[in-house]
Amino acid sequence: MRFHLSGTVTEPATATEPEMTYKVAISFDRCKITSVTCGCGNKDIFYCAHVVALSLYRIRKPDQVKLRLPISETLFQMNRDQLQKFVQYLITAHHTEVLPTAQKLADEILSSNSEINQVHGAPDPTAGASIDDENCWHLDEEQVREQVKLFLSQGGYYGSGKQLNSMFAKVREMLRMRDSNGARMLTLITEQFMADPRLSLWRQQGTGITEKCRQLWDELGALWVCVVLNPHCKLEEKSCWLRQLRKWGEMDVCPLEDGNYGNELPNITNALTQSSSHNQDSLARPRRTVFTRAIEGCDLHWQDSHLQRIISSDFYVSPSYQREGESLLFNSQGQPLWLEHVPTACARVDALRSHGYPREALRLTVAIINTLRLQQQRQLEIYKHQKKELLQRGATTITNLEGWVGHPLNPIGCLFLTLTEACRLEEENCLEISDTGDSKPPVYQHVPVATGSQDSGESYLSLALEVALMGMGQQRVMPEGLYAQDKVCRNEEQIIARLQDLELDPVLVQTLRKQCILLLEGGPFSGLGEVIHRESVPMHTFAKYLFSALLPHDADLAYKLALRAMRLPVLETTAPSGDVSHPHHLVSVVPSRYPRWFTLGHLESQQCELASTMLTAAKGDMLRLRTVLEAIQKNIHSSSLIFKLAQDAFKIATPADSNSDTTLLNVALELGLQVMRMTLSTLNWRRREMVRWLVTCATEVGVRALVSILQSWYSLFTPTEATSIVAATVMSHNTILRLSLDYPQREELASCARTLALQCAMKDPQNCALSALTLCEKDHIAFETAYQIVIDAASTGMTYTQLFTIARYMEHRGYPLRAFKLASLAMTHLNLAYNQDTHPAINDVLWACALSHSLGKNELAAIIPLVVKSVHCATVLSDILRRCTMTAPGLAGIPGRRNSGKLMSTDKAPLRQLLDATISAYINTTHSRLTHISPRHYGEFIEFLSKARETFLLAQDGHIQFAQFIDNLKQIYKGKKKLMLLVRERFG
């Protein structure tokens, strides 16, 4: 048959599946498969293996496939009997499927006025289409819809993002093969994207699209730009796409180009951004969606004769004489220029590449680069005239509002890819880099630029490097909105990753050096120029790449460039924000947007990375390290980042397997000291770690560094840090061993530590007194001074807890009388209520009384009035009383004192006062407890009264007092019958 191919395909048996046979039918027309059916029932946007097998069989073995006439020709040759026989056999073979259809057709043919009888002849599926009919490859539209819907519903999980990207790649492949289904498939995908129920949800919540989804929308928008810029599409196709794009763009759920924020970028067809058309009105720009660029792209055409000549020949050069106005079409070497808005011109390149015109794409790329070079030269000349004035002002209002890096059309990435693809060495099994990134990076070779003028000696590879550097170095203002800012960082990283695949040979190094010098001299048009706008996108990531790439070839240039890039003017509060009187300068009209730099944290960490890279490279070179250190101190404003740099420098300076590098160690110390000063009066949760680290670093530098930080502690540490961390660590056994100090050095350190301790104790006695005493233990005069500071501060500035702690320390050191004095002072600050029988200070009170008792009767007599005044808790008082009556006082054996060795009586002072206070406390506590007692506490209360009785009985008339007390209770609380019954049972 012509146009219809049918056959059976057998799939051999496997270990788990039996042999299977499938019936396959394929229609084709003018070398394209237009429809397929297969018994396997597989649903996919790609053909199943059985359809592919039958097609390949027909291609490879055409003589094995029997050709038949169209069925209408065969039927024409049959007589009436043969026709009847044919129809009846056909119906019998497929009676279940075709019988209802056969009967319906028979009825219609026998009815004279039926629709079927109004048409001459009958259809024939085997006869092929008319020459005027549409013909295109078979695409299972329903299947495309289903798959996109499924992947979107998974919200970027389960690898669905990867699946959607592979569908986009399929569209690009179709465009490259000039398959008209490319645009159809993209339309189907877009319809499903627009129907995503999450869009209206995100819009209602005002949350903005998720990151993964946002990137898919970007690719969708970029693909539509590619489709509408097809250089050979028909006008009616373009107007049909335009209608569709406008319809989608007008829907309120349609995502915006900049990620749902205000002020978007200029129109795709605008000229260069330095033109004066950007006035304040641009603040109220129309809404721009992800399809706006494609809609604008529909206005672009390829009819320009200059453009046609550029893309159709490598040898198009300016005529030997130039007519008026032609000077804009060629440079001084006669090479053609293309003066379109750069991202738009690059979108043309992408379209040529995508539609299978790689040579044309290369030619246009070269023309664009020659134009950029000319612009760079002209901007350099403009800057030379304004240099003096700009340097005096120290800032500029000139900047690109539309950056090429992070631009929705990815112009720089597009030019770079076009040029590098022309230089790629296709090795054996050199596959495309997979998502896992485990295959080898691409290998490139120099391919000379095809040109009509004199041999330029340039290669497409050196042009790729040059244009990437130009684009990355463009001075541009930070765009608005989190998404746009994030995209700048992401795009920059993508371009740098591609640049790192290039092996820098002498030719590329020359390109690199030349472009770096131009960027440094480029004034306000370069992000690395001497003056930039306050809100200019920082160059740290780019400069880090340049520094590492240049370092082996031209260290001076590498450092000059990296040091220039260290700045982050948006954080310099003193930096002027430009001249508001310039009407073309949009940014200065907007109030300071510094808080709206959403990626500031990332940018600061990149600045830190650049500094760290320079520090590592400068190891051992004091002069270079000094300049890097100055740049860090001038430009980095975050203490945690400076701390990170200090740690990095320390790590590099102290390798495990070799000697320390003193130059870098000193830089680490200096950065550490800066961090200490920066965080001294601000709260920082890492402060303790920072202080400890600084002492470690100073120890590594040596004894002079330690002496220095001890002597200037007040500008670096709080008194607590200085005594408990710094001085304590410096005086530790480990430090002395680590430094292997001689006696005079040890003494010098100890003397500094003692001086620090006393200064801190004076400044903050509450928190530093104990540390000061500990640090001064080995020096009698210092120790006495510290003790006096404590005594002076005790009455006003210290709590009982602090005083008890120091008192215990004094006893432990062998100063019991001093301990007693401090414990007495502590008692005056304390107040224990009747119900505080679990108070943490109870142990201290018991200890103080035990100490007084051990010292002798006089000390006990001195402390008991203080105890009676401060402690109102009956159980604590009875505990003290019990302990004091168990042994004789004065067992501590203070030299020069005599003790009688007799037990003390509770009838005489000082214990009599304590006993009375205890009985009184029991009485008060009993009344307090009875005012709000519940039946479940009755048992506990009876036990409490039993304890009280024990104390009462220590008095001479104790049993009489207790009996009166119980009678009193029965009288006052007779209403609590059940409780009083229990009291009677126990106490009579």
Side-chain angles (χ1 to χ4, degrees):
M1 295 181 223
R2 290 174 63 215
F3 310 123
H4 192 85
L5 175 68
S6 57
T8 55
V9 175
T10 304
E11 200 170 295
T14 65
T16 51
E17 298 289 327
E19 179 180 285
M20 298 290 279
T21 302
Y22 300 103
K23 288 183 177 173
V24 182
I26 301 173
S27 301
F28 53 94
D29 177 9
R30 283 161 277 183
C31 299
K32 290 175 188 162
I33 293 173
T34 53
S35 74
V36 301
T37 53
C38 176
C40 75
N42 266 10
K43 285 282 179 190
D44 200 345
I45 59 168
F46 308 119
Y47 302 141
C48 67
H50 317 111
V51 169
V52 174
L54 183 63
S55 309
L56 289 174
Y57 187 82
R58 166 67 184 77
I59 292 164
R60 289 173 184 169
K61 300 185 178 178
D63 49 341
Q64 301 284 313
V65 178
K66 194 173 179 184
L67 279 178
R68 296 178 185 274
L69 288 169
I71 195 79
S72 51
E73 293 287 328
T74 312
L75 294 174
F76 186 67
Q77 292 167 18
M78 295 183 190
N79 62 27
R80 197 205 166 288
D81 287 346
Q82 288 171 316
L83 281 170
Q84 179 147 5
K85 199 175 218 177
F86 172 77
V87 173
Q88 283 182 234
Y89 267 97
L90 182 64
I91 291 170
T92 307
H94 300 285
H95 66 275
T96 51
E97 293 109 296
V98 302
L99 192 57
T101 311
Q103 283 172 331
K104 181 171 165 277
L105 287 173
D107 291 346
E108 285 189 16
I109 285 168
L110 292 172
S111 165
S112 58
N113 59 353
S114 68
E115 196 177 324
I116 209 167
N117 283 326
Q118 311 301 314
V119 181
H120 184 68
D124 179 0
T126 62
S130 142
I131 193 76
D132 302 323
D133 284 1
E134 273 290 303
N135 74 320
C136 60
W137 285 90
H138 170 66
L139 177 72
D140 188 339
E141 298 196 358
E142 194 45 48
Q143 200 46 40
V144 173
R145 286 192 195 98
E146 284 305 311
Q147 291 220 325
V148 177
K149 196 173 181 178
L150 173 70
F151 295 145
L152 283 172
S153 71
Q154 292 168 349
Y157 303 105
Y158 320 111
S160 57
K162 208 182 279 184
Q163 300 283 357
L164 287 164
N165 274 318
S166 75
M167 288 180 95
F168 289 148
K170 187 74 190 164
V171 171
R172 282 198 183 269
E173 190 188 323
M174 289 163 138
L175 297 180
R176 199 161 51 246
M177 305 301 291
R178 300 177 203 168
D179 173 356
S180 59
N181 270 338
R184 273 176 71 212
M185 183 156 160
L186 187 59
T187 303
L188 297 169
I189 293 172
T190 309
E191 282 168 353
Q192 290 309 309
F193 265 68
M194 288 302 295
D196 187 345
R198 292 176 299 169
L199 288 179
S200 53
L201 198 69
W202 283 325
R203 190 171 176 274
Q204 284 161 12
Q205 295 169 344
T207 48
I209 300 175
T210 61
E211 183 64 21
K212 278 180 180 169
C213 205
R214 185 67 244 192
Q215 289 172 26
L216 292 168
W217 274 101
D218 281 354
E219 177 60 5
L220 194 69
L223 272 172
W224 272 114
V225 173
C226 252
V227 166
V228 302
L229 282 180
N230 178 353
H232 295 298
C233 73
K234 301 190 188 92
L235 264 177
E236 55 269 26
E237 273 184 310
K238 200 181 255 193
S239 55
C240 171
W241 293 330
L242 183 59
R243 273 199 307 280
Q244 269 183 343
L245 290 163
R246 279 190 177 141
K247 187 186 82 186
W248 291 325
E250 282 160 11
M251 290 168 73
D252 55 4
V253 293
C254 187
L256 300 183
E257 178 175 77
D258 67 347
N260 299 343
Y261 283 89
N263 314 319
E264 289 89 5
L265 302 174
N267 182 300
I268 189 171
T269 48
N270 272 4
L272 285 168
T273 51
Q274 267 78 32
S275 71
S276 57
S277 60
H278 292 294
N279 52 21
Q280 276 100 319
D281 299 346
S282 46
L283 282 171
R285 285 211 197 89
R287 171 175 178 269
R288 293 181 63 83
T289 72
V290 286
F291 301 116
T292 304
R293 288 184 187 269
I295 291 167
E296 290 165 358
C298 291
D299 296 339
L300 299 171
H301 60 81
W302 296 83
Q303 272 73 59
D304 183 282
S305 59
H306 181 56
L307 176 62
Q308 283 299 325
R309 288 191 190 113
I310 290 172
I311 63 176
S312 54
S313 165
D314 288 326
F315 305 104
Y316 174 44
V317 291
S318 65
S320 49
Y321 61 94
Q322 284 199 0
R323 286 193 296 278
E324 188 69 31
E326 270 189 352
S327 59
L328 283 176
L329 304 182
F330 302 93
N331 64 13
S332 56
Q333 288 86 48
Q335 297 162 316
L337 304 172
W338 182 243
L339 286 166
E340 197 169 26
H341 170 236
V342 176
T344 310
C346 296
R348 287 187 190 273
V349 171
D350 194 29
L352 288 167
R353 241 181 86 235
S354 301
H355 288 284
Y357 302 101
R359 296 299 315 161
E360 289 82 347
L362 263 179
R363 290 169 188 144
L364 183 53
T365 298
V366 173
I368 293 169
I369 290 174
N370 283 328
T371 313
L372 290 176
R373 283 171 169 171
L374 189 65
Q375 274 177 18
Q376 199 179 39
Q377 282 307 119
R378 284 183 182 169
Q379 287 170 347
L380 212 55
E381 283 157 24
I382 294 169
Y383 173 56
K384 277 173 187 160
H385 291 112
Q386 304 172 328
K387 189 171 181 174
K388 197 175 173 190
E389 179 206 342
L390 279 172
L391 286 175
Q392 274 173 342
R393 251 206 335 238
T396 177
T397 57
I398 303 165
T399 180
N400 287 291
L401 295 172
E402 184 176 45
W404 299 330
V405 174
H407 191 283
L409 296 173
N410 188 13
I412 301 302
C414 161
L415 298 183
F416 185 83
L417 271 178
T418 306
L419 291 160
T420 50
E421 273 174 7
C423 306
R424 195 159 173 170
L425 260 180
E426 289 301 338
E427 291 183 18
E428 290 297 307
N429 60 42
C430 176
L431 298 163
E432 281 288 307
I433 290 186
S434 67
D435 287 330
T436 53
D438 49 11
S439 54
K440 287 188 295 182
V443 181
Y444 300 109
Q445 60 182 352
H446 283 285
V447 175
V449 175
T451 169
S453 58
Q454 75 277 21
D455 179 32
S456 62
E458 288 186 320
S459 81
Y460 291 120
L461 200 56
S462 60
L463 286 190
L465 176 62
E466 185 179 345
V467 80
L469 300 179
M470 259 189 208
M472 298 274 283
Q474 175 210 32
Q475 202 231 136
R476 55 201 181 265
V477 105
M478 179 63 82
E480 286 230 14
L482 167 62
Y483 181 71
Q485 291 174 15
D486 193 46
K487 202 166 167 183
V488 168
C489 301
R490 226 184 17 252
N491 193 205
E492 192 172 40
E493 281 158 13
Q494 285 162 351
I495 296 170
I496 288 172
R498 293 218 170 101
L499 283 173
Q500 283 166 336
D501 286 339
L502 302 181
E503 269 197 41
L504 295 180
D505 58 15
V507 176
L508 293 183
V509 169
Q510 192 184 349
T511 306
L512 179 71
R513 287 190 68 233
K514 184 182 168 193
Q515 196 51 236
C516 284
I517 292 164
L518 283 171
L519 286 172
L520 281 171
E521 293 172 355
F525 302 96
S526 155
L528 292 163
E530 280 177 276
V531 279
I532 54 169
H533 187 272
R534 180 169 177 261
E535 300 198 12
S536 196
V537 171
M539 294 278 134
H540 309 128
T541 314
F542 179 42
K544 186 181 150 194
Y545 162 76
L546 293 177
F547 178 79
S548 303
L550 272 173
L551 196 61
H553 312 287
D554 188 339
D556 286 342
L557 183 59
Y559 277 101
K560 187 177 181 188
L561 201 140
L563 289 164
R564 170 83 55 85
M566 271 295 289
R567 62 200 168 184
L568 187 50
V570 77
L571 292 183
E572 307 295 340
T573 44
T574 51
S577 64
D579 183 356
V580 184
S581 64
H582 278 57
H584 72 267
H585 179 59
L586 164 72
V587 181
S588 58
V589 178
V590 181
S592 171
R593 299 180 325 171
Y594 155 51
R596 298 218 289 274
W597 274 43
F598 298 98
T599 52
L600 193 59
H602 171 75
L603 298 171
E604 283 189 284
S605 69
Q606 289 301 305
Q607 181 188 33
C608 177
E609 286 287 310
L610 173 62
S612 184
T613 307
M614 283 196 280
L615 282 176
T616 310
K619 180 178 174 177
D621 184 333
M622 202 55 234
L623 209 62
R624 291 236 198 266
L625 279 173
R626 187 54 43 196
T627 48
V628 176
L629 180 65
E630 281 165 13
I632 291 167
Q633 290 170 329
K634 181 182 170 193
N635 294 298
I636 298 186
H637 304 281
S638 153
S639 56
S640 54
L641 289 176
I642 297 178
F643 183 47
K644 185 188 177 303
L645 280 174
Q647 289 176 303
D648 287 354
F650 182 76
K651 240 178 243 160
I652 301 155
T654 53
D657 50 358
S658 61
N659 294 337
S660 298
D661 179 87
T662 48
T663 54
L664 199 49
L665 255 181
N666 279 307
V667 167
L669 180 64
E670 210 159 319
L671 289 171
L673 294 171
Q674 187 183 343
V675 172
M676 288 299 107
R677 287 189 286 268
M678 286 170 86
T679 56
L680 179 58
S681 53
T682 57
L683 286 172
N684 189 307
W685 62 277
R686 296 183 67 189
R687 175 75 188 176
R688 275 183 82 79
E689 178 197 352
M690 290 168 168
V691 173
R692 286 182 195 285
W693 178 87
L694 185 83
V695 179
T696 307
C697 182
T699 307
E700 202 63 38
V701 174
V703 71
R704 300 303 343 135
L706 288 175
V707 168
S708 168
I709 64 169
L710 290 173
Q711 287 176 342
S712 56
W713 71 267
Y714 44 85
S715 65
L716 304 169
F717 315 108
T718 64
T720 317
E721 289 167 347
T723 52
S724 65
I725 305 178
V726 183
T729 312
V730 170
M731 294 312 296
S732 71
H733 187 59
N734 282 354
T735 307
I736 288 160
L737 278 181
R738 175 86 189 84
L739 291 169
S740 47
L741 303 176
D742 57 23
Y743 183 74
Q745 287 175 319
R746 282 211 297 271
E747 272 310 292
E748 183 186 13
L749 266 188
S751 168
C752 289
R754 287 193 293 269
T755 308
L756 170 148
L758 294 173
Q759 288 170 343
C760 293
M762 287 290 286
K763 200 170 166 67
D764 183 3
Q766 290 159 304
N767 297 308
C768 301
L770 185 60
S771 299
L773 285 163
T774 313
L775 286 163
C776 296
E777 277 172 5
K778 291 184 180 151
D779 184 286
H780 178 69
I781 296 168
F783 188 78
E784 289 303 313
T785 311
Y787 174 66
Q788 200 49 53
I789 292 169
V790 176
I791 296 297
D792 293 346
S795 54
T796 50
M798 296 182 78
T799 66
Y800 61 82
T801 313
Q802 290 160 341
L803 289 167
F804 275 132
T805 308
I806 297 168
R808 288 188 168 209
Y809 161 81
M810 279 295 181
E811 188 201 25
H812 178 69
R813 293 274 305 136
Y815 295 102
L817 289 169
R818 287 182 175 186
F820 168 73
K821 185 169 184 180
L822 288 165
S824 303
L825 287 166
M827 287 299 297
T828 61
H829 292 273
L830 180 66
N831 185 23
L832 275 185
Y834 77 91
N835 57 353
Q836 288 183 297
D837 50 0
T838 56
H839 193 283
I842 291 171
N843 279 334
D844 289 319
V845 173
L846 293 174
W847 167 82
C849 292
L851 172 71
S852 312
H853 184 261
S854 73
L855 289 173
K857 199 171 175 181
N858 294 344
E859 283 76 13
L860 191 60
I863 207 155
I864 280 175
L866 300 176
V867 171
V868 167
K869 192 176 177 190
S870 302
V871 180
H872 309 288
C873 181
T875 49
V876 177
L877 289 169
S878 64
D879 199 1
I880 296 168
L881 187 62
R882 189 177 53 79
R883 289 171 189 232
C884 290
T885 54
M886 282 166 68
T887 55
L891 296 180
I894 299 286
R897 283 201 189 177
R898 286 176 61 244
N899 286 307
S900 65
K902 284 182 188 170
L903 290 175
M904 291 173 75
S905 164
T906 53
D907 289 341
K908 295 180 187 158
L911 292 189
R912 179 66 209 230
Q913 191 187 355
L914 182 59
L915 176 61
D916 290 347
T918 310
I919 290 171
S920 170
Y922 269 118
I923 292 169
N924 292 337
T925 307
T926 302
H927 288 299
S928 297
R929 288 180 74 163
L930 282 171
T931 51
H932 47 75
I933 192 164
S934 67
R936 63 198 174 97
H937 291 127
Y938 286 176
E940 199 185 304
F941 177 71
I942 297 297
E943 291 310 312
F944 173 75
L945 283 183
S946 299
K947 277 208 182 82
R949 181 165 60 180
E950 286 169 21
T951 304
F952 272 83
L953 293 178
L954 291 173
Q956 273 193 336
D957 56 348
H959 61 288
I960 298 166
Q961 276 192 51
F962 187 70
Q964 284 173 345
F965 172 50
I966 294 292
D967 286 344
N968 207 4
L969 289 184
K970 289 180 205 164
Q971 195 56 39
I972 299 171
Y973 303 102
K974 57 184 175 202
K976 298 186 187 290
K977 288 190 177 118
K978 192 176 176 193
L979 178 60
M980 289 308 122
L981 190 69
L982 293 172
V983 170
R984 250 187 233 101
E985 275 176 15
R986 177 69 71 94
F987 305 109

